[in-house]
Amino acid sequence: MQKTILVVDDSPSVRRMVSMTLKGAGFAVVEADDGRAALAAAERSLPDIIITDQNMPNLDGIGFIKAFRALPQSAGVPVIFLSTETEDAIKAQARAVGAIGWMTKPFNDEKLLSVVKRVAG
Amino acid sequence: MIDDPEGQALFEAEARQLTESLEAGLLALRSATGDRALIDGVFRDLHTLKGTGGMFGHAALAAFLHDFETAFEAVRDGSLEVSGPLIELSLKAHDHVLSLLAGGSPEPGEQLLADLGALRRAGTAAAEGAAPRRIRIRFAPDTLSLGGVPGIVLDGLRELGATAIRPLIGDLPPPAALDPAELHIAWEAELPAGIGDAELAEVFLFHEEALEILADPAPGAAQPPAEETGAAPPSAAEAAAGPPRPRDGAMMRVSAERLDEMMDRVGELVIAEARLADLAARSGDPQLVAVAEEIQRLATGMRDTTMSIRMTPIASIIGRFRRLVHDLSQALGKEIELRVEGEETELDKTVIEMLADPIMHLMRNAADHGLESAEERRAMGKPGTGTITVRAQYSGAEVLISLIDDGRGLDAARIRARGIERGLIGPEEELAQGDLLKLILEPGFSTAAQVTELSGRGVGMDVVKRTIEQLRGSIEISSEPGHGAAIHLRLPLTLAIIDGLLVEVAGERYTIPLAAVEHIIELPAEKAEAGAAPQLLNIRGKLVPFLRLRQLFRSDGAAGPHQKVVVVMSGELRVGLTVDQIIGSSQTVIKQLSPLHATQKTFSGATILGDGTVALILDVPQLVAFGQAREEREAA
């Protein structure tokens, strides 16, 4: 079955690059430009995987994940951060609110795909 | 599973053929370890078995065979050497495959795969001069709810060549507190040497914290899992399906060494407890006596529990017998069937381990010398297939293990002739049938001419005898010419602690194993005088010879007026032992006598009494044999 990935980033170019890479590998992609929109999208239709940025307007990545994990249906949905942040404290915080992993920008398509495939099982 | 009865039947026939070919190949490899054709053959058989097994729904079979196939692939490309242990293990794997095909439990396979893993690692480690690494994988409990997939990590490890991947479920909370969404299972695995940190990090992507590198195992030492608890108790159907066999459910593996240590400690406890009881009795303080009694009760319970932990069913060594009979059958060209009765009978683990070799030797003898060829048998009106029966049963505080064959039986005349020839008996000496047959147990009875390739190897009959005696057991042999022979091994249930009857003879105390005591009577006045003949007592209409322990121990002085006779039994035979006094029963921790005293035949060991003095333990089977022999001499 085709898996749906929710891609959350305030940068349209990043969103576009990630989406194209994922779509090319056969995934369905839903995009959101900030945490608040992402939460609404996730509530509307639960994605199989979430890839999110940290620094975004309105609701940042950690805030979004915190709210997302409060939804009962969020269990089992892996969340991967894709961010320029490299600070360990923030990574730890992301882990604490319920992210499974962290990838640092810039990324290459191959690496992104291999990670997503691994997480998708 | 493919629903195709005809295909299934085809597969079964093919599997039978493949397993036979596999076993033959393995056995042949034993003596020709470098034979390429044989190695290729074994690999092909494994490969085909695995492939067709998987196709016909035998997933467990295919999974099990995978590692063995890989191992022989390694043998084929020269990275692994054919060794004795590898062949042994593969033969066991072959047996396991047969069991799987017959619908048996896949459980025993896990140990085989773990052993194979250890073997291969030992092989590759030796080749590369590096030891494998042991790792533990413990995910955070919320990993599943965060979308983590532990299986991916485990699969990744398998791809790196990790073996012996084993779940640890020691952290599982009790069922009531169990949240199915939480992960409490950890794993341990062994990584082949040469796996770099980068490769590991790749596998543990996003799960770095789950990886723990354990201490490198000592080379060659397979580390037994410290703890392995399973979840489900056996279902009613499983329980009804056969003898209650311990399953992984709620089981724990403990090293035998620790059990021995525990037994030693319980032994010390029993001795200390006896001292306490002694002191308490002397002090006359009722409170102290009450505490001493309580401690005695606890120590007895402790002893019984500890001993029951050490009890192992005979079934644990039966597998070796099946293989042996199979091998013998092939090697001798005789059809042999092995029958096992009472395999649930339990014995102390030390006894069981020491028994395996003697029993296997007796089997070789029975198959080689006892059973006739199929033609001979048919000519005598017997079924062409010979039968060897191993029967185990409880008999009081002893276990009786019988090895019965339906072959030609022992030739008493030939044994007698050989006994005279070897100087084991005098030419004029008349022996009872049982004693005559026992000559085959004497060292030097067997001659080189008689030794065939099969029965001449390993232990000889005198070693069988010595081992059984070491175990404080006895051997009886019976035979019916033309119909077969039976060898009965009588063994004590345990070696370490027994209930003893403490008696006094000429101011010294001795212990008689209580299990051997049948009853105790007062010595009739007319028999009390030393030298009064005949030394027989009428006990419930049976004449029983009796031994005056005072005389036997060469003690001076006269006994008191009320001597007692303790009637002891060994097998079907009885003998009375006269003693001055019965002191009472006591738990007896058996201490071995020094090698200097190993040759005497009156005492089987010694024990330490509550007051710290030593009491010798009477060797009942020996005394009974002695008393009976004397009676026969006098009767003759």
Side-chain angles (χ1 to χ4, degrees), chain B residues 22-52:
Chain B
L22 173 64
E23 181 165 57
L26 286 169
L27 291 172
L29 258 186
R30 262 201 305 218
S31 48
T33 50
D35 192 317
R36 301 289 312 171
L38 285 173
I39 294 170
D40 285 349
V42 165
F43 173 78
R44 258 197 323 273
D45 290 340
L46 285 167
H47 180 80
T48 315
L49 255 178
K50 179 188 123 178
T52 47

Side-chain angles (χ1 to χ4, degrees), chain A residues 69 74-81 95-103 111 114-115 117-121, chain B residues 139-149 152-153 156 181 199-209:
Chain A
R69 285 294 180 206
S74 75
V77 177
V79 177
I80 303 166
F81 271 85
R95 180 72 183 75
V97 298
I100 194 145
W102 192 287
M103 288 185 71
K111 177 77 182 160
S114 97
V115 166
K117 279 182 181 161
R118 284 275 304 282
V119 171
Chain B
F139 297 95
D142 62 355
T143 297
L144 295 176
S145 60
L146 297 187
V149 188
I152 293 176
V153 173
E199 287 167 279
L200 258 187
E202 181 67 34
V203 168
F204 279 89
L205 177 79
F206 298 159
H207 295 292
E208 312 87 334
E209 74 287 349

Side-chain angles (χ1 to χ4, degrees), chain B residues 5-90:
Chain B
E6 206 180 310
Q8 278 293 333
L10 257 173
F11 164 67
E12 272 161 33
E14 186 182 328
R16 225 180 359 257
Q17 198 190 343
L18 283 168
T19 47
E20 271 169 26
S21 151
L22 173 64
E23 181 165 57
L26 286 169
L27 291 172
L29 258 186
R30 262 201 305 218
S31 48
T33 50
D35 192 317
R36 301 289 312 171
L38 285 173
I39 294 170
D40 285 349
V42 165
F43 173 78
R44 258 197 323 273
D45 290 340
L46 285 167
H47 180 80
T48 315
L49 255 178
K50 179 188 123 178
T52 47
M55 261 168 55
F56 281 89
H58 292 269
L61 179 80
F64 171 73
L65 279 175
H66 176 78
D67 282 11
F68 277 91
E69 187 199 355
T70 319
F72 273 93
E73 200 166 26
V75 168
R76 234 166 39 142
D77 66 35
S79 62
L80 189 68
E81 257 188 313
V82 176
S83 61
L86 176 65
I87 294 191
E88 280 315 304
L89 200 58
S90 305

